[in-house]
Amino acid sequence: MIKICFVCLGNICRSPMAEAMFRKLVLDLGREDEFLITSRGTSSEEYGNDIYPPAKEKLMEMGIPFSKHFAKKVSMEDYLEYDYFVCMDDSNVSAMKRMFPKDTNKIKKLLDRDIADPWYTGNFEATYRDLEEGLKALVNSVK
Ligand code: 4NP
């Protein structure tokens, strides 16, 4: 069982989208038993909030199921529980490394480039496409 936690800043847009999309991806591949999947933020700014409505709309448009979400900041318990913290951008990686300075290999980035951040642009299509590319590469890298 590989335990993967997707990480963004607020845990209301990119990482819960990644969580829902990765669940669907591994389900479609019949590999759902291989993974435990969740998401967190590096900040508690959006604590308790559900997925941001435009992110939900994009998931619905693309036929990706999701359930009720409760945004949370990553904790030490999470750090000990999960194998990989797959971050959306460089600032997420930096924030994670500040929180967990002894990390050797759990903190990763989904793509070499940053995942498009829809918070300021409103472009959820670009985020979806970046996530799709990164998540397919991720599932193929874990054989
Ligand atoms: P996320 O998007 O990190 O993809 O969930 C954001 C959510 C909230 C804020 C920034 C980005 N914010 O500044 O509150």
Side-chain angles (χ1 to χ4, degrees):
M1 171 78 79
I2 302 162
K3 300 178 185 177
I4 296 183
C5 178
F6 294 101
V7 176
C8 64
L9 174 63
N11 191 217
I12 57 168
C13 296
R14 293 164 294 174
S15 65
M17 284 179 76
E19 177 184 345
M21 291 170 69
F22 197 67
R23 276 189 210 289
K24 169 97 165 41
L25 185 59
V26 301
L27 193 65
D28 288 349
L29 294 169
R31 295 182 58 187
E32 67 272 20
D33 294 343
E34 294 175 40
F35 299 94
L36 181 69
I37 305 162
T38 194
S39 66
R40 295 286 188 266
T42 60
S43 109
S44 52
E45 194 79 15
E46 301 288 344
Y47 181 79
N49 287 341
D50 203 346
I51 304 173
Y52 193 49
K56 285 188 188 176
E57 275 168 32
K58 178 52 70 179
L59 292 173
M60 282 187 275
E61 179 194 329
M62 304 312 286
I64 310 286
F66 56 88
S67 49
K68 179 114 185 85
H69 178 69
F70 190 101
K72 280 185 199 142
K73 181 178 175 176
V74 66
S75 68
M76 182 53 85
E77 289 70 31
D78 299 325
Y79 185 78
L80 296 174
E81 163 84 6
Y82 284 83
D83 300 312
Y84 295 108
F85 293 82
V86 180
C87 296
M88 300 296 128
D89 63 31
D90 284 338
S91 69
N92 306 148
V93 171
S94 306
M96 287 294 291
K97 288 187 172 168
R98 279 196 298 277
M99 278 188 270
F100 308 105
K102 295 197 178 119
D103 180 74
T104 48
N105 62 1
K106 287 191 175 189
I107 300 169
K108 311 279 186 198
K109 207 165 93 162
L110 183 57
L111 280 178
D112 287 341
R113 64 176 193 276
D114 289 353
I115 300 295
D117 185 348
W119 185 252
Y120 301 103
T121 64
N123 188 346
F124 286 82
E125 173 63 24
T127 304
Y128 182 87
R129 276 191 267 107
D130 281 354
L131 287 173
E132 191 172 50
E133 178 184 340
L135 296 170
K136 281 183 180 164
L138 176 64
V139 83
N140 287 325
S141 74
V142 184
K143 289 285 180 196

